[in-house]
């Protein structure tokens, strides 16, 4: 009671600042103390913070980047956090079900893969936790298989949209090829596009008048830069998703 009384004397602004340093589960317990604390934990900025810092990967259905650019009040961030939390729990449940029997495995795999990229964070955590499990080899085998399936399905969705005449950026369509190689640390389409953006920025920095060049001159400039930096060809000792080893790198060889 004394602790609660001490907290009651703190201003709302200070309490809200403290909440940003606590995990989401602590905030939920904090909300049960009083009506005032419950109201403080309903702040959209707080749950946007939890969403951004709890999960790295989000499926496109959420349009997360658009939500982050919009005012926090326009998105039900707390509900979105709950949705992702439930999906994390579903991944764990279905993975346990997959490993507990040889029957109906496809159904468990399908339920996880339907979550698309919303399942990736949970699967990666399960992969790490599997180190202490008795079925570590089987668990990691199926996790890798499901991650690979999710990435390939993402690539197919991109190409399907392209085939339907939808506006799909060229780099996204090409990057989808690399989704067919599973890598828990890399291999995400966002990682691939970020790598291209980084190289593009370097080329522009090295060629200040790039925008004034003709299309042919731009192509020659890009090709010369990539070859000078040895970003073409295949290096078996380098991660497949390094730029010199991916689809565009091979095409430039």
């Amino acid at each position: 009671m004394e602790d609660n009384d001490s907290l009651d004397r703190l201003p709302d602004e200070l309490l809200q600042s403290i909440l940003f340093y606590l995990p989401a589960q602590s905030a939920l317990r904090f909300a049960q103390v009083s009506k005032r604390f419950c109201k403080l934990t309903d702040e959209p900025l707080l749950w946007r913070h939890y969403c951004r810092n709890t999960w790295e990967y989000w499926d496109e259905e959420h349009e997360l980047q658009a939500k982050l650019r919009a005012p926090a009040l326009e998105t039900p961030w707390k509900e979105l956090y709950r949705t992702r939390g439930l999906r994390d729990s579903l991944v764990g449940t279905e993975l346990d079900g997959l490993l507990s029997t040889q029957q109906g495995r496809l159904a468990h795999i399908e339920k996880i893969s339907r979550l698309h990229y919303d399942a990736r964070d949970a699967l990666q955590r399960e992969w790490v936790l599997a180190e202490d499990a008795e079925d570590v080899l089987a668990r990691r085998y199926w996790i890798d298989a499901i991650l690979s399936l999710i990435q390939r399905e993402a690539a197919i969705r991109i190409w399907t949209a392209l085939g339907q005449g939808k506006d799909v950026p060229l780099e996204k369509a090409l990057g989808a090829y690399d989704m067919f190689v599973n890598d828990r640390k890399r291999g995400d389409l966002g990682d691939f596009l970020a790598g291209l953006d980084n190289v593009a920025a370097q080329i522009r920095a090295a060629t200040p008048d790039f925008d004034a060049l003709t299309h042919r001159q731009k192509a020659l400039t890009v090709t010369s830069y990539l070859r000078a930096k040895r970003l073409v060809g295949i290096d078996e000792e380098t991660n497949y998703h390094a730029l010199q080893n991916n689809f565009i790198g091979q095409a430039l060889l």
Side-chain angles (χ1 to χ4, degrees):
M1 182 65 69
E2 291 181 359
D3 290 340
N4 291 342
D5 291 341
S6 298
L7 289 174
D8 273 329
R9 289 195 291 269
L10 296 177
D12 289 353
E13 294 78 5
L14 181 56
L15 288 173
Q16 287 179 335
S17 296
I18 293 173
L19 286 171
F20 277 85
Y21 291 93
L22 297 176
Q25 293 305 314
S26 296
L28 291 172
R29 289 192 291 269
F30 181 76
Q32 298 173 359
V33 175
S34 68
K35 291 183 178 179
R36 178 195 174 204
F37 292 172
C38 181
K39 183 178 180 180
L40 288 174
T41 59
D42 274 338
E43 171 58 48
L45 284 172
L46 177 65
W47 292 99
R48 184 176 72 175
H49 165 78
Y50 287 144
C51 285
R52 292 185 66 182
N53 288 277
T54 303
W55 295 282
E56 180 179 359
Y57 298 100
W58 291 78
D59 191 67
E60 290 185 348
E61 70 169 279
H62 300 295
E63 299 181 338
L64 183 67
Q65 294 305 315
K67 286 182 170 68
L68 291 173
R69 290 191 296 268
L73 289 173
E74 293 184 6
T75 300
W77 288 104
K78 189 174 184 179
E79 184 61 32
L80 185 55
Y81 181 92
R82 287 173 175 166
T83 297
R84 285 300 308 268
L86 289 173
R87 292 184 177 186
D88 278 10
S89 297
L90 178 62
V91 169
T93 299
E94 295 301 326
L95 186 59
D96 288 340
L98 168 65
L99 292 162
S100 65
T101 178
Q102 294 185 3
Q103 298 180 345
R105 282 181 168 174
L106 286 178
H108 293 296
I109 293 173
E110 183 178 3
K111 287 181 180 179
I112 298 175
S113 66
R114 282 177 183 173
L115 302 178
H116 304 302
Y117 260 70
D118 279 357
R120 179 158 183 164
D121 285 286
L123 287 170
Q124 293 188 161
R125 286 196 298 270
E126 291 285 348
W127 196 94
V128 174
L129 294 173
E131 184 175 357
D132 297 324
E134 294 183 359
D135 57 353
V136 55
L137 294 180
R139 187 169 290 268
R140 287 184 169 177
Y141 170 82
W142 285 111
I143 290 173
D144 284 342
I146 297 171
L147 282 170
S148 180
L149 174 62
I150 289 172
Q151 291 192 177
R152 293 176 182 184
E153 287 181 339
I156 291 172
R157 292 203 305 272
I158 291 171
W159 292 331
T160 299
L162 185 65
Q164 293 173 344
K166 296 181 180 178
D167 186 16
V168 178
L170 176 61
E171 64 271 18
K172 190 173 182 179
L174 292 175
Y177 281 93
D178 283 353
M179 303 293 283
F180 279 78
V181 175
N182 181 33
D183 189 329
R184 286 179 304 279
K185 297 181 180 179
R186 301 185 63 178
D188 170 47
L189 182 60
D191 294 332
F192 174 83
L193 297 180
L196 287 183
D197 288 342
N198 181 53
V199 172
Q202 293 177 27
I203 293 175
R204 287 184 176 278
T207 314
D209 60 341
F210 186 83
D211 290 328
L213 301 178
T214 65
H215 291 307
R216 177 179 176 80
Q217 290 172 330
K218 288 179 179 178
L220 291 173
T221 299
V222 171
T223 301
S224 298
Y225 182 89
L226 295 178
R227 287 181 173 173
K229 297 295 183 179
R230 301 181 63 82
L231 295 176
V232 295
I234 293 296
D235 178 359
E236 295 182 356
E237 296 181 357
T238 305
N239 185 288
Y240 175 85
H241 292 280
L243 183 61
Q244 64 266 35
N245 292 343
N246 63 34
F247 178 79
I248 290 180
Q250 295 180 54
L252 289 170
L253 181 62

